[in-house]
């Protein structure tokens, strides 16, 4: 069981990198092994990527394998959180929502569980990935996924206040600034980036979000060949509020670890106080319905 360390020790987070397939049992075994390993190392919060539950080989399979938040798989992750005594950021669950019977479409849902296995937050991806790189990548997430309708307020965890996003949300700085304004200290972008887009944009976008928000950025990622028609970029990493990459996974499934130093974060914010220098009188305030500014 991962316990709080002695006073003065910085909280440790673990970032998982996996190769999900259409086989949900194999995927759970792989993810559970990483969570147990991270808990054994003393991590208080473990991040898993988008599609941690599975990555289907086609739309029909993707829809057929989806479950509700009250289903068997999420129950097993809740038990895992309890057994290991850790927070779990489950970064992109194929959710059959309450409207499944009428829409036959799912949500891409970032689930946050506390160490008692309780649902602390469920963020539904607001920006759906519809891209077409001629001859390389074609994705149309909106053909089978409903977009989420709200940004969630940051959640207090032992590592800091956590703002939830998913993958393609990374390309929209507005959401990170709204979360920062609401008090976020860590932003997380669990992802399944393709190789062409990942090699071009992954690290630079994550570092940009960290620099402009002065938050830690944690990005768990899919890696390798998910099925015969899909390969993911990998390179799970953690960026500090100065924009430095402080942890990164190697090739293949595994974990990387980072200490979250909130004293350092607040020093960065004091030394370059961009948040207080913003000019909403000129370009408006990046905010979201229901998100109150942090005190």
């Amino acid at each position: 069981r991962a316990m709080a360390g002695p006073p003065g020790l910085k909280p440790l987070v673990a970032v998982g990198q996996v190769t999900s397939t259409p086989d949900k049992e194999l995927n759970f075994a792989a993810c559970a092994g990483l969570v147990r390993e991270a808990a054994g190392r003393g991590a208080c919060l473990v991040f898993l990527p988008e599609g941690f539950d599975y990555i289907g080989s086609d739309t029909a399979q993707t829809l057929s394998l989806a479950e509700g938040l009250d289903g068997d798989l999420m129950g097993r992750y809740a038990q895992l959180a309890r057994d290991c005594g850790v927070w779990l950021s489950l970064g992109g669950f194929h959710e059959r929502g309450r409207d499944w019977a009428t829409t036959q479409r799912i949500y891409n849902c970032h689930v946050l569980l506390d160490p008692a296995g309780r649902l602390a937050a469920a963020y539904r991806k607001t920006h759906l990935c519809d891209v077409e790189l001629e001859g390389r990548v074609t994705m149309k997430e909106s053909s089978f996924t409903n977009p989420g309708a709200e940004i969630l307020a940051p959640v207090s965890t032992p590592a800091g206040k956590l703002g939830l996003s998913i993958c393609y949300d990374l390309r929209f700085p507005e959401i990170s600034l709204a979360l920062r304004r609401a008090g976020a200290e860590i932003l997380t972008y669990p992802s399944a980036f393709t190789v062409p887009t990942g090699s071009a944009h992954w690290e630079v976008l994550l570092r940009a979000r960290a620099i402009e928000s002065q938050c830690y950025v944690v990005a768990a990622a899919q890696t390798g060949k998910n099925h015969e028609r899909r390969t993911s970029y990998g390179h799970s990493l953690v960026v500090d509020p100065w924009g430095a990459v402080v942890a990164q996974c190697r090739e293949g499934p595994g974990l990387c670890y980072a200490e979250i130093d909130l004293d350092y974060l607040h020093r960065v914010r004091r030394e370059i106080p961009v948040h207080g220098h913003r000019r909403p009188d000129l370009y408006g305030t990046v905010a979201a319905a229901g998100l109150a500014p942090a005190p």
Side-chain angles (χ1 to χ4, degrees):
R1 180 173 292 267
M3 304 295 289
L9 283 185
K10 301 177 185 69
L12 184 72
V13 302
V15 188
Q17 183 162 281
V18 300
T19 306
S20 293
T21 70
D23 189 325
K24 293 168 74 172
E25 284 301 315
L26 281 180
N27 298 336
F28 178 76
C31 290
L34 292 180
V35 171
R36 292 189 183 102
E37 181 182 339
R41 284 278 300 271
C44 64
L45 175 56
V46 185
F47 295 84
L48 293 176
E50 183 180 37
F52 70 95
D53 50 351
Y54 64 88
I55 291 184
S57 58
D58 55 42
T59 299
Q61 185 180 55
T62 298
L63 293 174
S64 71
L65 292 173
E67 299 182 21
L69 290 178
D70 57 354
D72 173 71
L73 186 63
M74 199 50 62
R76 293 165 75 182
Y77 274 100
Q79 186 61 51
L80 181 65
R82 288 191 289 271
D83 290 346
C84 294
V86 295
W87 287 74
L88 292 179
S89 163
L90 305 173
F93 176 70
H94 296 82
E95 181 203 4
R96 289 191 181 187
R98 294 175 183 173
D99 56 2
W100 165 254
T102 54
T103 68
Q104 295 292 293
R105 294 156 67 87
I106 59 176
Y107 291 89
N108 190 337
C109 183
H110 185 161
V111 178
L112 185 66
L113 300 178
D114 73 11
R118 293 180 298 244
L119 182 69
Y123 164 75
R124 293 165 180 92
K125 189 176 184 183
T126 51
H127 301 96
L128 301 182
C129 185
D130 289 0
V131 300
E132 186 166 357
L133 307 181
E134 192 171 341
R136 294 186 289 168
V137 174
T138 298
M139 298 180 68
K140 195 165 180 61
E141 191 175 16
S142 67
S143 67
F144 60 91
T145 306
N146 292 314
E150 61 178 344
I151 302 170
L152 298 187
V155 178
S156 292
T157 78
K161 293 179 181 176
L162 183 64
L164 306 182
S165 297
I166 303 173
C167 199
Y168 193 58
D169 290 331
L170 174 60
R171 295 184 180 273
F172 301 89
E174 294 87 352
I175 188 170
S176 65
L177 293 174
L179 289 167
R180 163 72 174 89
R181 186 168 179 265
E185 295 164 318
I186 306 168
L187 302 175
T188 183
Y189 295 96
S191 297
F193 258 62
T194 66
V195 172
T197 57
S199 57
H201 300 149
W202 174 246
E203 183 177 316
V204 70
L205 282 172
L206 291 165
R207 294 180 71 188
R209 296 296 83 86
I211 293 165
E212 71 202 4
S213 68
Q214 297 175 318
C215 288
Y216 279 90
V217 167
V218 179
Q222 292 284 336
T223 184
K225 190 170 184 178
N226 305 105
H227 53 71
E228 63 276 5
R229 292 194 299 278
R230 184 190 168 88
T231 301
S232 296
Y233 178 63
H235 296 266
S236 300
L237 54 79
V238 181
V239 187
D240 76 11
W242 188 252
V245 176
V246 294
Q248 186 163 2
C249 285
R250 299 176 180 178
E251 294 299 315
L255 290 161
C256 63
Y257 297 87
E259 290 183 332
I260 303 298
D261 187 343
L262 294 182
D263 289 340
Y264 176 65
L265 176 145
H266 293 297
R267 188 183 115 198
V268 168
R269 292 181 178 184
R270 284 194 307 271
E271 291 180 347
I272 307 181
V274 291
H275 192 61
H277 293 160
R278 298 199 180 279
R279 292 290 304 275
D281 57 312
L282 297 180
Y283 45 73
T285 299
V286 180
L291 287 192

